Amino acid sequence: MIVEMRRMLIVGPRRLLDEVVEAVQGAGAVHVDQVEPGEAAAPAVEPEGGHSEALAALERTLVRVEWLLGVISRAAPALGGAAASPDPGDDRAIEARLEAIESEATALTRRRLELEEELELIRTYEGAVRALGPLISALSGSRSLESVGFLLRGADLTAVTALRGQLEGLTEGRVEVAGRLVDGERTGVVVAFLRRDAEAVRGFLSRAGIVELRLPERYAAGGPAETVRQMERRRAELPAEIAAVGSEMTALASRHGQEVREAHGQIQDRLGRLRAVSLLARSRYAFILRGWVPAAQVEEVRSTLRSRFGEDVVVEDTPADPHHAEAVPVLLDNPGPVRPFQRMLALFRPPRYGTLDPTVYLAIFFPLFVGVVIGDVAYGALLFALGWWMRGKSARGEPWEISLFGMKLGITIPPGTLADASWIIRVLSVWTMLFGVVYLEIFGNLIEHHLGLHPVFNRVQLAAAFLGVAIALGIVQVMLGYLLHLGQALRHRHPFHALESLAMISGVLALFALLGTRGEVLPPGFFGLGLLLGALFLALVAVGVVLNRFALMWLLEAISGVGSVLSYARLFGVGLAAAALANASNELGAAFGPMWVGIVMGIVIQMVFFLFTIAGHIIQPARLNWVEFLTKVKYHDETGNSYRPLQKTGGG
């Protein structure tokens, strides 16, 4: 549900501005709003060039601290250290300490990158020097010849042959090309040519995108043998040097990790206060802070300010004006079992204040649809195990870094999000197992195939009935969307919107009744009902046109509504495909001989199919809720702004 908000005005003397803003931040409940210069009873905004400069300087400092915090966090993920942090209000002390830590971290980072670059250079060039060095060295003393060495990708020497042919044609045969395999992925090539052909040869190689092999100066002084010996020695030394730098970085993190984290929080808090000040109205003698507070926390904020400032600061609160709901920030707060499903709305802006929070309906329909689609006891048990594992990880405060076959994807789910996701997955798993019992699917038709038991509802054999179930679910959810919008229209006294909802309900049902009877899907008696609903629909459209010409679009929207209902056939398609793939896996497994071998192989094949199709099993039901249902509620047409209170980050 949408939390009730109250509009709060805080007025006080200018000398207390910073202290009041800090107190408001400590309360952590006030969403600070912009006070426009022209608003009644608001003092003129006094321009402050210094304020914007301080804000810009602090933002630059925040960027530097976030880089430093990232470096230290990678060195020691569990930040430690008990070093005393500077006074939270002493920006100069914080800046000085951070500069010293940053200087040390920068030097260590630069040193580590140089060492890693040198090691990578040796790995790249050592094989080439071994292979090509003697050839290049043999030609280096010639007065009439030049040579160029380079690397080609691949281990196929036919590329060298083709290159030789092109160069011979270019120089009339005055060239020699030698190629040697460096490793399984590269071929080293040396081209020797007369100095008078240098411009033509080098120009050709440049146009072909071939880059000459040039060693860094520190390895190019001696001959090939000396270069190889030097590379071997450095290759043996570098891992220890890199490890030593890593140890120094870890020590730095241990000494200053907590200090940097606290400084990061202090700077964020200071930035929050500065940004809030820019939204206030202020003059030489007074200021006005306007904001929004959840109704349940108004007295707490009032008591905090009264206990600290007494009568010097005046606090007034009024109910949110329903006629200006777009200005009210929105906070969603649903009962515990429903609250995690608020994450499904996080992709969009929140609903407008005073309208409908659809979270509870998503919590009902989304798991139901996933259960209809997957409908397998074994798959449901696997989903539950995944959800339980995620629950344990979130309870320990651990994030989840998602990887694919050992390769990190750069996706990290924080513990709070992980906890909500774990609950959603467990709810999905329960519905999946319930429908698995109805379908009698445990890894597909494994039980039916081997034990001869038959399900209550076989969705593969009763495909037409399964399609009917999917369409029926579509009718229920789409009609519910129209009814919810009707309720909102009546609540807010919008007759045109109420008329629109009634027209859509009658129009969509009329089309289904008429088409269903003509297609012999529904009994003939529904034809008369369809005509009656159709007449009602046309009458509502006519009334709507009198109020607003836009009502003519309802004729097209009714057809679109039918399309929305038919879109639920994707539950049938994805669900039938899931069952068919699972059953096919069992058939493939049976081809492997003994029953136990067939069962094992069938399960293995099913897991592969399941992993490749699970995204569709979940995304398609989610899409129906996000698009088909929410558009009927007009959710996307009536969005608001998120509630973002001025609060501390925990630093200082």
Side-chain angles (χ1 to χ4, degrees):
M1 64 179 182
I2 298 176
V3 175
E4 180 188 355
M5 288 284 174
R6 293 187 70 85
R7 185 173 186 253
M8 178 173 282
L9 284 178
I10 302 172
V11 184
R14 176 61 181 268
R15 59 184 172 80
L16 295 177
L17 172 60
D18 292 339
E19 294 180 52
V20 170
V21 172
E22 184 178 354
V24 167
Q25 186 180 50
V30 182
H31 176 107
V32 181
D33 207 354
Q34 176 80 51
V35 178
E36 301 296 339
E39 291 191 49
V45 175
E46 178 184 312
E48 293 188 8
H51 178 272
S52 59
E53 292 174 5
L55 187 62
L58 207 55
E59 286 174 341
R60 290 193 296 270
T61 302
L62 180 63
V63 172
R64 292 168 54 199
V65 175
E66 287 179 340
W67 172 83
L68 183 57
L69 185 61
V71 170
I72 288 178
S73 299
R74 286 191 294 272
L79 293 179
S85 62
D87 180 356
D90 192 347
D91 290 344
R92 292 184 179 179
I94 294 175
E95 184 77 17
R97 288 294 303 137
L98 289 175
E99 283 183 1
I101 300 170
E102 182 184 22
S103 177
E104 187 176 354
T106 301
L108 290 173
T109 301
R110 183 183 297 113
R111 176 62 176 156
R112 184 183 61 192
L113 291 175
E114 289 173 352
L115 294 173
E116 290 175 347
E117 182 182 359
E118 184 179 359
L119 183 59
E120 184 61 29
L121 181 145
I122 291 172
R123 290 171 177 165
T124 301
Y125 284 105
E126 185 180 0
V129 173
R130 289 179 183 275
L132 303 181
L135 295 175
I136 297 175
S137 180
L139 296 169
S140 61
S142 174
R143 295 183 178 181
S144 58
L145 296 176
E146 287 189 20
S147 63
V148 175
F150 52 86
L151 294 173
L152 294 178
R153 291 187 179 277
D156 189 358
L157 293 177
T158 56
V160 178
T161 303
L163 182 64
R164 177 187 292 111
Q166 290 177 310
L167 289 172
E168 286 178 348
L170 184 67
T171 62
E172 298 179 356
R174 298 184 300 273
V175 68
E176 186 60 44
V177 180
R180 293 186 181 180
L181 296 179
V182 174
D183 50 41
E185 298 179 353
R186 296 176 301 169
T187 301
V189 182
V190 173
V191 177
F193 48 88
L194 294 175
R195 291 187 183 276
R196 61 174 174 163
D197 295 324
E199 184 177 350
V201 172
R202 292 183 183 275
F204 169 79
L205 296 177
S206 176
R207 290 191 298 274
I210 295 173
V211 180
E212 183 177 358
L213 180 66
R214 293 184 180 274
L215 291 175
E217 291 184 5
R218 60 180 176 272
Y219 291 112
E226 175 60 27
T227 299
V228 170
R229 282 194 297 270
Q230 189 178 1
M231 285 183 169
E232 289 176 343
R233 177 174 57 81
R234 291 298 292 157
R235 179 160 45 82
E237 295 171 349
L238 284 170
E241 294 182 19
I242 293 173
V245 174
S247 298
E248 291 184 56
M249 188 69 77
T250 301
L252 175 69
S254 299
R255 292 195 308 271
H256 303 295
Q258 185 66 20
E259 182 178 352
V260 172
R261 181 168 60 182
E262 290 179 0
H264 180 254
Q266 292 165 14
I267 292 171
Q268 284 186 312
D269 291 346
R270 175 69 174 146
L271 266 175
R273 293 195 295 270
L274 286 176
R275 288 167 179 161
V277 167
S278 67
L279 300 175
L280 311 185
R282 57 198 183 278
S283 68
R284 182 175 300 178
Y285 303 107
F287 71 88
I288 292 179
L289 184 154
R290 186 181 72 181
W292 299 94
V293 183
Q297 295 179 267
V298 167
E299 284 306 316
E300 180 183 345
V301 175
R302 188 190 302 275
S303 298
T304 298
L305 296 175
R306 183 185 297 119
S307 64
R308 183 166 175 180
F309 304 105
E311 300 298 325
D312 289 339
V313 173
V314 178
V315 180
E316 296 289 342
D317 68 280
T318 55
D321 185 352
H323 299 292
H324 297 89
E326 66 279 356
V328 185
V330 175
L331 173 64
L332 302 182
D333 186 22
N334 287 281
V338 177
R339 189 176 300 121
F341 287 89
Q342 291 175 187
R343 299 279 183 180
M344 293 188 66
L345 294 176
L347 295 174
F348 318 107
R349 295 177 63 183
R352 181 178 297 179
Y353 186 80
T355 59
L356 176 74
D357 173 16
T359 303
V360 65
Y361 302 103
L362 300 182
I364 294 171
F365 284 103
F366 175 56
L368 172 65
F369 291 171
V370 171
V372 168
V373 168
I374 302 179
D376 190 291
V377 175
Y379 291 158
L382 291 173
L383 284 175
F384 188 88
L386 173 63
W388 195 260
W389 175 81
M390 293 167 65
R391 174 184 177 275
K393 201 170 183 65
S394 66
R396 294 189 298 271
E398 300 174 2
W400 182 19
E401 294 186 10
I402 299 179
S403 59
L404 181 63
F405 302 115
M407 180 179 63
K408 291 185 178 181
L409 301 178
I411 302 174
T412 301
I413 304 178
T417 305
L418 197 61
D420 290 343
S422 73
W423 172 255
I424 294 174
I425 288 176
R426 281 178 284 154
V427 174
L428 299 183
S429 71
V430 171
W431 281 99
T432 298
M433 287 188 280
L434 287 175
F435 276 95
V437 172
V438 174
Y439 302 152
L440 195 59
E441 292 186 20
I442 302 177
F443 286 124
N445 62 351
L446 203 61
I447 298 298
E448 183 178 12
H449 191 271
H450 291 285
L451 300 182
L453 300 177
H454 298 290
V456 175
F457 184 86
N458 190 318
R459 54 177 168 171
V460 176
Q461 294 179 0
L462 301 174
F466 189 33
L467 175 60
V469 169
I471 298 298
L473 289 173
I475 292 175
V476 169
Q477 192 176 41
V478 168
M479 289 299 113
L480 175 63
Y482 288 136
L483 287 171
L484 291 173
H485 184 251
L486 173 62
Q488 290 296 305
L490 294 174
R491 175 187 172 189
H492 295 287
R493 300 178 181 179
H494 291 155
F496 182 74
H497 291 163
L499 202 65
E500 178 186 11
S501 297
L502 290 172
M504 291 302 100
I505 292 171
S506 58
V508 172
L509 290 179
L511 286 172
F512 263 104
L514 295 174
L515 294 174
T517 52
R518 295 294 293 176
E520 299 182 355
V521 176
L522 296 175
F526 278 86
F527 188 79
L529 177 62
L531 291 176
L532 181 62
L533 289 172
L536 175 61
F537 169 66
L538 294 176
L540 291 170
V541 171
V543 175
V545 169
V546 174
L547 298 176
N548 189 324
R549 287 180 299 174
F550 179 78
L552 283 173
M553 296 297 296
W554 295 352
L555 298 170
L556 295 178
E557 287 185 18
I559 299 174
S560 176
V562 173
S564 296
V565 172
L566 294 178
S567 190
Y568 285 73
R570 68 186 66 234
L571 295 176
F572 158 76
V574 177
L576 193 64
L581 285 174
N583 295 347
S585 301
N586 294 329
E587 297 295 333
L588 289 173
F592 283 90
M595 184 176 72
W596 70 270
V597 175
I599 291 175
V600 171
M601 292 304 300
I603 291 175
V604 169
I605 298 171
Q606 284 189 53
M607 293 309 300
V608 173
F609 284 160
F610 182 70
L611 290 174
F612 277 107
T613 59
I614 187 64
H617 298 342
I618 293 178
I619 289 176
Q620 294 300 337
R623 180 202 172 278
L624 292 173
N625 284 274
W626 285 331
V627 179
E628 311 302 347
F629 175 61
L630 292 185
T631 54
K632 304 305 174 288
V633 184
K634 303 293 184 181
Y635 177 90
H636 302 292
D637 297 340
E638 298 178 327
T639 56
N641 299 310
S642 296
Y643 167 70
R644 294 187 177 90
L646 176 64
Q647 57 188 357
K648 287 184 175 294
T649 61

